[in-house]
PDB file of all heavy atoms in Angstrom:
ATOM      1  N   SER A   1       0.750  -1.245   0.013  1.00  0.00           N
ATOM      2  CA  SER A   1       0.004   0.024   0.024  1.00  0.00           C
ATOM      3  C   SER A   1       0.812   1.347  -0.013  1.00  0.00           C
ATOM      4  O   SER A   1       0.653   2.147  -0.831  1.00  0.00           O
ATOM      5  CB  SER A   1      -0.955  -0.039   1.229  1.00  0.00           C
ATOM      6  OG  SER A   1      -1.747  -1.056   1.179  1.00  0.00           O
ATOM      7  N   ARG A   2       1.872   1.371   0.930  1.00  0.00           N
ATOM      8  CA  ARG A   2       2.676   2.603   1.064  1.00  0.00           C
ATOM      9  C   ARG A   2       3.532   2.758  -0.148  1.00  0.00           C
ATOM     10  O   ARG A   2       3.741   3.913  -0.676  1.00  0.00           O
ATOM     11  CB  ARG A   2       3.406   2.644   2.239  1.00  0.00           C
ATOM     12  CG  ARG A   2       2.527   2.747   3.583  1.00  0.00           C
ATOM     13  CD  ARG A   2       3.269   2.567   4.878  1.00  0.00           C
ATOM     14  NE  ARG A   2       2.357   2.591   6.003  1.00  0.00           N
ATOM     15  CZ  ARG A   2       2.711   2.242   7.224  1.00  0.00           C
ATOM     16  NH1 ARG A   2       3.987   1.949   7.464  1.00  0.00           N
ATOM     17  NH2 ARG A   2       1.769   2.202   8.132  1.00  0.00           N
ATOM     18  N   LEU A   3       4.103   1.674  -0.650  1.00  0.00           N
ATOM     19  CA  LEU A   3       5.089   1.771  -1.876  1.00  0.00           C
ATOM     20  C   LEU A   3       4.181   2.233  -2.998  1.00  0.00           C
ATOM     21  O   LEU A   3       4.561   3.090  -3.792  1.00  0.00           O
ATOM     22  CB  LEU A   3       5.567   0.442  -2.155  1.00  0.00           C
ATOM     23  CG  LEU A   3       6.646   0.407  -3.343  1.00  0.00           C
ATOM     24  CD1 LEU A   3       7.859  -0.567  -2.944  1.00  0.00           C
ATOM     25  CD2 LEU A   3       5.926  -0.120  -4.591  1.00  0.00           C
ATOM     26  N   LEU A   4       2.861   1.771  -3.229  1.00  0.00           N
ATOM     27  CA  LEU A   4       2.080   2.174  -4.274  1.00  0.00           C
ATOM     28  C   LEU A   4       1.809   3.678  -4.228  1.00  0.00           C
ATOM     29  O   LEU A   4       1.682   4.404  -5.208  1.00  0.00           O
ATOM     30  CB  LEU A   4       0.722   1.384  -4.320  1.00  0.00           C
ATOM     31  CG  LEU A   4      -0.140   1.581  -5.471  1.00  0.00           C
ATOM     32  CD1 LEU A   4       0.522   1.131  -6.752  1.00  0.00           C
ATOM     33  CD2 LEU A   4      -1.406   0.640  -5.365  1.00  0.00           C
ATOM     34  N   LEU A   5       1.467   4.188  -2.969  1.00  0.00           N
ATOM     35  CA  LEU A   5       1.198   5.686  -2.898  1.00  0.00           C
ATOM     36  C   LEU A   5       2.470   6.461  -3.240  1.00  0.00           C
ATOM     37  O   LEU A   5       2.270   7.628  -3.752  1.00  0.00           O
ATOM     38  CB  LEU A   5       0.775   5.902  -1.538  1.00  0.00           C
ATOM     39  CG  LEU A   5      -0.571   5.538  -1.121  1.00  0.00           C
ATOM     40  CD1 LEU A   5      -0.839   5.698   0.365  1.00  0.00           C
ATOM     41  CD2 LEU A   5      -1.686   6.293  -1.968  1.00  0.00           C
ATOM     42  N   ASN A   6       3.604   5.911  -3.115  1.00  0.00           N
ATOM     43  CA  ASN A   6       4.848   6.681  -3.584  1.00  0.00           C
ATOM     44  C   ASN A   6       4.857   6.802  -5.058  1.00  0.00           C
ATOM     45  O   ASN A   6       5.310   7.815  -5.650  1.00  0.00           O
ATOM     46  CB  ASN A   6       6.166   5.958  -3.153  1.00  0.00           C
ATOM     47  CG  ASN A   6       6.493   6.240  -1.751  1.00  0.00           C
ATOM     48  OD1 ASN A   6       5.782   7.037  -1.098  1.00  0.00           O
ATOM     49  ND2 ASN A   6       7.598   5.786  -1.229  1.00  0.00           N
ATOM     50  N   ILE A   7       4.390   5.693  -5.782  1.00  0.00           N
ATOM     51  CA  ILE A   7       4.506   5.667  -7.188  1.00  0.00           C
ATOM     52  C   ILE A   7       3.345   6.391  -7.822  1.00  0.00           C
ATOM     53  O   ILE A   7       3.605   7.151  -8.825  1.00  0.00           O
ATOM     54  CB  ILE A   7       4.513   4.173  -7.649  1.00  0.00           C
ATOM     55  CG1 ILE A   7       5.700   3.449  -7.105  1.00  0.00           C
ATOM     56  CG2 ILE A   7       4.452   4.057  -9.143  1.00  0.00           C
ATOM     57  CD1 ILE A   7       5.623   1.884  -7.185  1.00  0.00           C
ATOM     58  N   ILE A   8       2.167   6.244  -7.355  1.00  0.00           N
ATOM     59  CA  ILE A   8       1.065   6.988  -7.939  1.00  0.00           C
ATOM     60  C   ILE A   8       0.307   7.696  -6.688  1.00  0.00           C
ATOM     61  O   ILE A   8      -0.746   7.226  -6.272  1.00  0.00           O
ATOM     62  CB  ILE A   8       0.090   6.025  -8.644  1.00  0.00           C
ATOM     63  CG1 ILE A   8      -0.184   4.754  -7.871  1.00  0.00           C
ATOM     64  CG2 ILE A   8       0.608   5.683 -10.051  1.00  0.00           C
ATOM     65  CD1 ILE A   8      -1.351   3.877  -8.589  1.00  0.00           C
ATOM     66  N   PRO A   9       0.824   8.824  -6.295  1.00  0.00           N
ATOM     67  CA  PRO A   9       0.432   9.491  -5.069  1.00  0.00           C
ATOM     68  C   PRO A   9      -1.174   9.846  -5.180  1.00  0.00           C
ATOM     69  O   PRO A   9      -1.556  10.250  -6.288  1.00  0.00           O
ATOM     70  CB  PRO A   9       1.250  10.789  -5.019  1.00  0.00           C
ATOM     71  CG  PRO A   9       2.458  10.419  -5.764  1.00  0.00           C
ATOM     72  CD  PRO A   9       2.043   9.513  -6.884  1.00  0.00           C
ATOM     73  N   GLY A  10      -1.837   9.669  -4.136  1.00  0.00           N
ATOM     74  CA  GLY A  10      -3.226   9.948  -4.089  1.00  0.00           C
ATOM     75  C   GLY A  10      -4.246   8.911  -4.667  1.00  0.00           C
ATOM     76  O   GLY A  10      -5.404   9.159  -4.521  1.00  0.00           O
ATOM     77  N   ARG A  11      -3.683   7.895  -5.188  1.00  0.00           N
ATOM     78  CA  ARG A  11      -4.535   6.858  -5.846  1.00  0.00           C
ATOM     79  C   ARG A  11      -4.421   5.637  -4.931  1.00  0.00           C
ATOM     80  O   ARG A  11      -3.424   4.935  -4.919  1.00  0.00           O
ATOM     81  CB  ARG A  11      -4.092   6.563  -7.260  1.00  0.00           C
ATOM     82  CG  ARG A  11      -4.051   7.822  -8.057  1.00  0.00           C
ATOM     83  CD  ARG A  11      -3.843   7.475  -9.516  1.00  0.00           C
ATOM     84  NE  ARG A  11      -3.620   8.782 -10.361  1.00  0.00           N
ATOM     85  CZ  ARG A  11      -3.740   8.723 -11.690  1.00  0.00           C
ATOM     86  NH1 ARG A  11      -3.978   7.702 -12.373  1.00  0.00           N
ATOM     87  NH2 ARG A  11      -3.601   9.893 -12.329  1.00  0.00           N
ATOM     88  N   LYS A  12      -5.606   5.239  -4.349  1.00  0.00           N
ATOM     89  CA  LYS A  12      -5.635   4.136  -3.365  1.00  0.00           C
ATOM     90  C   LYS A  12      -6.101   2.805  -4.134  1.00  0.00           C
ATOM     91  O   LYS A  12      -7.025   2.942  -4.882  1.00  0.00           O
ATOM     92  CB  LYS A  12      -6.400   4.473  -2.131  1.00  0.00           C
ATOM     93  CG  LYS A  12      -5.811   5.531  -1.243  1.00  0.00           C
ATOM     94  CD  LYS A  12      -6.701   5.720  -0.074  1.00  0.00           C
ATOM     95  CE  LYS A  12      -6.113   6.786   0.876  1.00  0.00           C
ATOM     96  NZ  LYS A  12      -6.811   6.945   2.135  1.00  0.00           N
ATOM     97  N   PHE A  13      -5.569   1.830  -3.690  1.00  0.00           N
ATOM     98  CA  PHE A  13      -6.061   0.487  -4.198  1.00  0.00           C
ATOM     99  C   PHE A  13      -6.048  -0.511  -3.048  1.00  0.00           C
ATOM    100  O   PHE A  13      -5.121  -0.587  -2.172  1.00  0.00           O
ATOM    101  CB  PHE A  13      -5.019   0.012  -5.333  1.00  0.00           C
ATOM    102  CG  PHE A  13      -5.415  -1.361  -5.862  1.00  0.00           C
ATOM    103  CD1 PHE A  13      -6.467  -1.475  -6.831  1.00  0.00           C
ATOM    104  CD2 PHE A  13      -4.848  -2.626  -5.356  1.00  0.00           C
ATOM    105  CE1 PHE A  13      -6.723  -2.761  -7.330  1.00  0.00           C
ATOM    106  CE2 PHE A  13      -5.300  -3.873  -5.857  1.00  0.00           C
ATOM    107  CZ  PHE A  13      -6.235  -3.895  -6.861  1.00  0.00           C
ATOM    108  N   PRO A  14      -7.228  -1.341  -2.887  1.00  0.00           N
ATOM    109  CA  PRO A  14      -7.322  -2.079  -1.634  1.00  0.00           C
ATOM    110  C   PRO A  14      -6.347  -3.339  -1.747  1.00  0.00           C
ATOM    111  O   PRO A  14      -6.385  -4.113  -2.661  1.00  0.00           O
ATOM    112  CB  PRO A  14      -8.834  -2.537  -1.687  1.00  0.00           C
ATOM    113  CG  PRO A  14      -9.157  -2.462  -3.134  1.00  0.00           C
ATOM    114  CD  PRO A  14      -8.354  -1.260  -3.650  1.00  0.00           C
ATOM    115  N   PHE A  15      -5.609  -3.433  -0.727  1.00  0.00           N
ATOM    116  CA  PHE A  15      -4.788  -4.583  -0.402  1.00  0.00           C
ATOM    117  C   PHE A  15      -3.798  -5.034  -1.532  1.00  0.00           C
ATOM    118  O   PHE A  15      -3.907  -6.178  -1.989  1.00  0.00           O
ATOM    119  CB  PHE A  15      -5.654  -5.886  -0.106  1.00  0.00           C
ATOM    120  CG  PHE A  15      -6.754  -5.506   0.867  1.00  0.00           C
ATOM    121  CD1 PHE A  15      -8.071  -5.531   0.620  1.00  0.00           C
ATOM    122  CD2 PHE A  15      -6.323  -5.267   2.290  1.00  0.00           C
ATOM    123  CE1 PHE A  15      -9.042  -5.234   1.525  1.00  0.00           C
ATOM    124  CE2 PHE A  15      -7.225  -5.004   3.239  1.00  0.00           C
ATOM    125  CZ  PHE A  15      -8.623  -4.900   2.898  1.00  0.00           C
ATOM    126  N   PRO A  16      -2.974  -4.116  -2.024  1.00  0.00           N
ATOM    127  CA  PRO A  16      -1.934  -4.568  -2.963  1.00  0.00           C
ATOM    128  C   PRO A  16      -0.884  -5.387  -2.317  1.00  0.00           C
ATOM    129  O   PRO A  16      -0.624  -5.243  -1.111  1.00  0.00           O
ATOM    130  CB  PRO A  16      -1.361  -3.175  -3.462  1.00  0.00           C
ATOM    131  CG  PRO A  16      -1.556  -2.299  -2.310  1.00  0.00           C
ATOM    132  CD  PRO A  16      -2.797  -2.604  -1.702  1.00  0.00           C
ATOM    133  N   LYS A  17      -0.329  -6.388  -3.119  1.00  0.00           N
ATOM    134  CA  LYS A  17       0.670  -7.242  -2.605  1.00  0.00           C
ATOM    135  C   LYS A  17       1.993  -6.494  -2.466  1.00  0.00           C
ATOM    136  O   LYS A  17       2.235  -5.454  -3.139  1.00  0.00           O
ATOM    137  CB  LYS A  17       0.928  -8.396  -3.679  1.00  0.00           C
ATOM    138  CG  LYS A  17      -0.173  -9.410  -3.643  1.00  0.00           C
ATOM    139  CD  LYS A  17       0.068 -10.277  -2.399  1.00  0.00           C
ATOM    140  CE  LYS A  17      -0.925 -11.470  -2.437  1.00  0.00           C
ATOM    141  NZ  LYS A  17      -2.309 -11.047  -2.003  1.00  0.00           N
ATOM    142  N   SER A  18       2.848  -6.962  -1.531  1.00  0.00           N
ATOM    143  CA  SER A  18       4.114  -6.424  -1.376  1.00  0.00           C
ATOM    144  C   SER A  18       4.857  -6.684  -2.750  1.00  0.00           C
ATOM    145  O   SER A  18       4.945  -7.860  -3.201  1.00  0.00           O
ATOM    146  CB  SER A  18       4.883  -7.125  -0.288  1.00  0.00           C
ATOM    147  OG  SER A  18       6.272  -6.925  -0.346  1.00  0.00           O
ATOM    148  N   LEU A  19       5.482  -5.707  -3.252  1.00  0.00           N
ATOM    149  CA  LEU A  19       6.314  -5.925  -4.464  1.00  0.00           C
ATOM    150  C   LEU A  19       7.315  -6.978  -4.333  1.00  0.00           C
ATOM    151  O   LEU A  19       7.546  -7.861  -5.243  1.00  0.00           O
ATOM    152  CB  LEU A  19       7.045  -4.519  -4.812  1.00  0.00           C
ATOM    153  CG  LEU A  19       7.998  -4.560  -5.919  1.00  0.00           C
ATOM    154  CD1 LEU A  19       7.380  -4.998  -7.264  1.00  0.00           C
ATOM    155  CD2 LEU A  19       8.703  -3.220  -6.099  1.00  0.00           C
ATOM    156  N   TYR A  20       8.033  -7.047  -3.135  1.00  0.00           N
ATOM    157  CA  TYR A  20       9.108  -7.919  -2.915  1.00  0.00           C
ATOM    158  C   TYR A  20       8.560  -9.289  -2.618  1.00  0.00           C
ATOM    159  O   TYR A  20       9.225 -10.342  -2.916  1.00  0.00           O
ATOM    160  CB  TYR A  20       9.960  -7.504  -1.743  1.00  0.00           C
ATOM    161  CG  TYR A  20      10.373  -5.943  -1.870  1.00  0.00           C
ATOM    162  CD1 TYR A  20       9.871  -4.980  -1.085  1.00  0.00           C
ATOM    163  CD2 TYR A  20      11.177  -5.575  -2.973  1.00  0.00           C
ATOM    164  CE1 TYR A  20      10.113  -3.655  -1.301  1.00  0.00           C
ATOM    165  CE2 TYR A  20      11.482  -4.281  -3.111  1.00  0.00           C
ATOM    166  CZ  TYR A  20      10.983  -3.233  -2.255  1.00  0.00           C
ATOM    167  OH  TYR A  20      11.231  -1.945  -2.501  1.00  0.00           O
ATOM    168  N   ALA A  21       7.377  -9.425  -2.181  1.00  0.00           N
ATOM    169  CA  ALA A  21       6.831 -10.830  -1.982  1.00  0.00           C
ATOM    170  C   ALA A  21       6.562 -11.472  -3.269  1.00  0.00           C
ATOM    171  O   ALA A  21       6.873 -12.685  -3.470  1.00  0.00           O
ATOM    172  CB  ALA A  21       5.469 -10.764  -1.221  1.00  0.00           C
ATOM    173  N   VAL A  22       6.043 -10.788  -4.294  1.00  0.00           N
ATOM    174  CA  VAL A  22       5.839 -11.346  -5.619  1.00  0.00           C
ATOM    175  C   VAL A  22       7.120 -11.575  -6.333  1.00  0.00           C
ATOM    176  O   VAL A  22       7.324 -12.701  -6.962  1.00  0.00           O
ATOM    177  CB  VAL A  22       4.844 -10.297  -6.541  1.00  0.00           C
ATOM    178  CG1 VAL A  22       4.681 -10.862  -7.905  1.00  0.00           C
ATOM    179  CG2 VAL A  22       3.608 -10.086  -5.810  1.00  0.00           C
ATOM    180  N   GLU A  23       8.068 -10.697  -6.136  1.00  0.00           N
ATOM    181  CA  GLU A  23       9.334 -10.820  -6.802  1.00  0.00           C
ATOM    182  C   GLU A  23      10.160 -12.069  -6.283  1.00  0.00           C
ATOM    183  O   GLU A  23      10.676 -12.845  -7.007  1.00  0.00           O
ATOM    184  CB  GLU A  23      10.250  -9.606  -6.484  1.00  0.00           C
ATOM    185  CG  GLU A  23      11.718  -9.630  -6.929  1.00  0.00           C
ATOM    186  CD  GLU A  23      12.429  -8.459  -6.401  1.00  0.00           C
ATOM    187  OE1 GLU A  23      11.820  -7.366  -6.078  1.00  0.00           O
ATOM    188  OE2 GLU A  23      13.644  -8.656  -6.175  1.00  0.00           O
ATOM    189  N   ASP A  24       9.969 -12.292  -5.024  1.00  0.00           N
ATOM    190  CA  ASP A  24      10.640 -13.401  -4.340  1.00  0.00           C
ATOM    191  C   ASP A  24      10.144 -14.718  -4.795  1.00  0.00           C
ATOM    192  O   ASP A  24      10.888 -15.582  -5.138  1.00  0.00           O
ATOM    193  CB  ASP A  24      10.590 -13.305  -2.830  1.00  0.00           C
ATOM    194  CG  ASP A  24      11.617 -12.302  -2.213  1.00  0.00           C
ATOM    195  OD1 ASP A  24      12.451 -11.813  -3.001  1.00  0.00           O
ATOM    196  OD2 ASP A  24      11.402 -11.911  -1.126  1.00  0.00           O
ATOM    197  N   VAL A  25       8.848 -14.868  -4.783  1.00  0.00           N
ATOM    198  CA  VAL A  25       8.236 -16.238  -5.156  1.00  0.00           C
ATOM    199  C   VAL A  25       8.466 -16.485  -6.593  1.00  0.00           C
ATOM    200  O   VAL A  25       8.706 -17.669  -6.989  1.00  0.00           O
ATOM    201  CB  VAL A  25       6.737 -16.239  -4.799  1.00  0.00           C
ATOM    202  CG1 VAL A  25       5.839 -15.427  -5.656  1.00  0.00           C
ATOM    203  CG2 VAL A  25       6.344 -17.741  -4.827  1.00  0.00           C
ATOM    204  N   LEU A  26       8.391 -15.477  -7.415  1.00  0.00           N
ATOM    205  CA  LEU A  26       8.744 -15.702  -8.932  1.00  0.00           C
ATOM    206  C   LEU A  26      10.199 -16.032  -9.152  1.00  0.00           C
ATOM    207  O   LEU A  26      10.435 -16.991  -9.943  1.00  0.00           O
ATOM    208  CB  LEU A  26       8.425 -14.400  -9.767  1.00  0.00           C
ATOM    209  CG  LEU A  26       6.925 -14.183 -10.037  1.00  0.00           C
ATOM    210  CD1 LEU A  26       6.794 -12.849 -10.602  1.00  0.00           C
ATOM    211  CD2 LEU A  26       6.278 -15.252 -10.894  1.00  0.00           C
ATOM    212  N   ARG A  27      11.016 -15.506  -8.354  1.00  0.00           N
ATOM    213  CA  ARG A  27      12.456 -15.675  -8.553  1.00  0.00           C
ATOM    214  C   ARG A  27      12.801 -17.218  -8.443  1.00  0.00           C
ATOM    215  O   ARG A  27      13.632 -17.821  -9.159  1.00  0.00           O
ATOM    216  CB  ARG A  27      13.286 -14.990  -7.603  1.00  0.00           C
ATOM    217  CG  ARG A  27      14.804 -14.981  -7.815  1.00  0.00           C
ATOM    218  CD  ARG A  27      15.637 -14.246  -6.820  1.00  0.00           C
ATOM    219  NE  ARG A  27      15.486 -12.821  -6.892  1.00  0.00           N
ATOM    220  CZ  ARG A  27      14.800 -12.045  -6.104  1.00  0.00           C
ATOM    221  NH1 ARG A  27      14.221 -12.699  -4.955  1.00  0.00           N
ATOM    222  NH2 ARG A  27      14.773 -10.846  -6.231  1.00  0.00           N
ATOM    223  N   PHE A  28      12.142 -17.837  -7.537  1.00  0.00           N
ATOM    224  CA  PHE A  28      12.413 -19.342  -7.300  1.00  0.00           C
ATOM    225  C   PHE A  28      12.228 -20.188  -8.589  1.00  0.00           C
ATOM    226  O   PHE A  28      12.790 -21.204  -8.840  1.00  0.00           O
ATOM    227  CB  PHE A  28      11.584 -19.943  -6.156  1.00  0.00           C
ATOM    228  CG  PHE A  28      12.029 -19.493  -4.810  1.00  0.00           C
ATOM    229  CD1 PHE A  28      11.240 -18.725  -3.988  1.00  0.00           C
ATOM    230  CD2 PHE A  28      13.161 -20.021  -4.320  1.00  0.00           C
ATOM    231  CE1 PHE A  28      11.596 -18.378  -2.751  1.00  0.00           C
ATOM    232  CE2 PHE A  28      13.729 -19.585  -3.037  1.00  0.00           C
ATOM    233  CZ  PHE A  28      12.919 -18.810  -2.265  1.00  0.00           C
ATOM    234  N   PHE A  29      11.410 -19.619  -9.529  1.00  0.00           N
ATOM    235  CA  PHE A  29      11.048 -20.413 -10.644  1.00  0.00           C
ATOM    236  C   PHE A  29      11.489 -19.848 -12.071  1.00  0.00           C
ATOM    237  O   PHE A  29      11.544 -20.545 -13.077  1.00  0.00           O
ATOM    238  CB  PHE A  29       9.482 -20.571 -10.767  1.00  0.00           C
ATOM    239  CG  PHE A  29       8.915 -21.450  -9.558  1.00  0.00           C
ATOM    240  CD1 PHE A  29       8.453 -20.798  -8.376  1.00  0.00           C
ATOM    241  CD2 PHE A  29       8.977 -22.902  -9.636  1.00  0.00           C
ATOM    242  CE1 PHE A  29       8.064 -21.570  -7.341  1.00  0.00           C
ATOM    243  CE2 PHE A  29       8.510 -23.603  -8.602  1.00  0.00           C
ATOM    244  CZ  PHE A  29       8.052 -23.028  -7.421  1.00  0.00           C
ATOM    245  N   VAL A  30      11.874 -18.524 -11.998  1.00  0.00           N
ATOM    246  CA  VAL A  30      12.280 -17.901 -13.340  1.00  0.00           C
ATOM    247  C   VAL A  30      13.625 -17.388 -13.231  1.00  0.00           C
ATOM    248  O   VAL A  30      14.138 -16.835 -14.202  1.00  0.00           O
ATOM    249  CB  VAL A  30      11.351 -16.857 -13.780  1.00  0.00           C
ATOM    250  CG1 VAL A  30       9.929 -17.404 -13.897  1.00  0.00           C
ATOM    251  CG2 VAL A  30      11.310 -15.705 -12.889  1.00  0.00           C
ATOM    252  N   GLN A  31      14.368 -17.646 -12.124  1.00  0.00           N
ATOM    253  CA  GLN A  31      15.759 -17.207 -12.023  1.00  0.00           C
ATOM    254  C   GLN A  31      16.634 -17.746 -13.159  1.00  0.00           C
ATOM    255  O   GLN A  31      17.473 -17.006 -13.676  1.00  0.00           O
ATOM    256  CB  GLN A  31      16.353 -17.702 -10.664  1.00  0.00           C
ATOM    257  CG  GLN A  31      17.938 -17.384 -10.449  1.00  0.00           C
ATOM    258  CD  GLN A  31      18.113 -16.030 -10.123  1.00  0.00           C
ATOM    259  OE1 GLN A  31      17.279 -15.177  -9.872  1.00  0.00           O
ATOM    260  NE2 GLN A  31      19.404 -15.578 -10.319  1.00  0.00           N
ATOM    261  N   GLU A  32      16.468 -18.998 -13.588  1.00  0.00           N
ATOM    262  CA  GLU A  32      17.242 -19.566 -14.568  1.00  0.00           C
ATOM    263  C   GLU A  32      16.561 -19.486 -15.966  1.00  0.00           C
ATOM    264  O   GLU A  32      16.963 -20.201 -16.902  1.00  0.00           O
ATOM    265  CB  GLU A  32      17.625 -20.961 -14.393  1.00  0.00           C
ATOM    266  CG  GLU A  32      18.491 -21.060 -12.965  1.00  0.00           C
ATOM    267  CD  GLU A  32      18.725 -22.514 -12.448  1.00  0.00           C
ATOM    268  OE1 GLU A  32      18.170 -23.389 -13.107  1.00  0.00           O
ATOM    269  OE2 GLU A  32      19.576 -22.701 -11.599  1.00  0.00           O
ATOM    270  N   LYS A  33      15.565 -18.712 -16.062  1.00  0.00           N
ATOM    271  CA  LYS A  33      14.804 -18.431 -17.406  1.00  0.00           C
ATOM    272  C   LYS A  33      14.819 -16.967 -17.720  1.00  0.00           C
ATOM    273  O   LYS A  33      13.803 -16.276 -17.417  1.00  0.00           O
ATOM    274  CB  LYS A  33      13.395 -18.963 -17.236  1.00  0.00           C
ATOM    275  CG  LYS A  33      13.298 -20.561 -17.006  1.00  0.00           C
ATOM    276  CD  LYS A  33      11.818 -20.923 -16.915  1.00  0.00           C
ATOM    277  CE  LYS A  33      11.707 -22.403 -16.643  1.00  0.00           C
ATOM    278  NZ  LYS A  33      10.308 -22.770 -16.546  1.00  0.00           N
ATOM    279  N   PRO A  34      15.938 -16.390 -18.219  1.00  0.00           N
ATOM    280  CA  PRO A  34      16.003 -15.055 -18.467  1.00  0.00           C
ATOM    281  C   PRO A  34      15.019 -14.491 -19.612  1.00  0.00           C
ATOM    282  O   PRO A  34      14.881 -13.332 -19.594  1.00  0.00           O
ATOM    283  CB  PRO A  34      17.496 -14.751 -18.960  1.00  0.00           C
ATOM    284  CG  PRO A  34      17.920 -16.103 -19.364  1.00  0.00           C
ATOM    285  CD  PRO A  34      17.124 -17.088 -18.578  1.00  0.00           C
TER     286      PRO A  34
END
């Protein structure tokens, strides 16, 4: 939520995922697939 407000100030969206949570889980499966 707070990171999203930095990127698009004033625009709220309910319950966005942590950017790093999505990044981390994807990395386990696409790290070796550039």
Side-chain angles (χ1 to χ4, degrees):
S1 300
R2 292 175 186 169
L3 182 142
L4 186 62
L5 284 173
N6 277 0
I7 298 168
I8 47 175
R11 304 188 184 197
K12 293 184 179 180
F13 178 80
F15 311 111
K17 283 283 181 284
S18 162
L19 171 63
Y20 310 110
V22 180
E23 175 188 328
D24 285 344
V25 71
L26 283 173
R27 187 184 290 108
F28 285 113
F29 294 95
V30 301
Q31 173 74 14
E32 297 176 352
K33 296 179 180 180

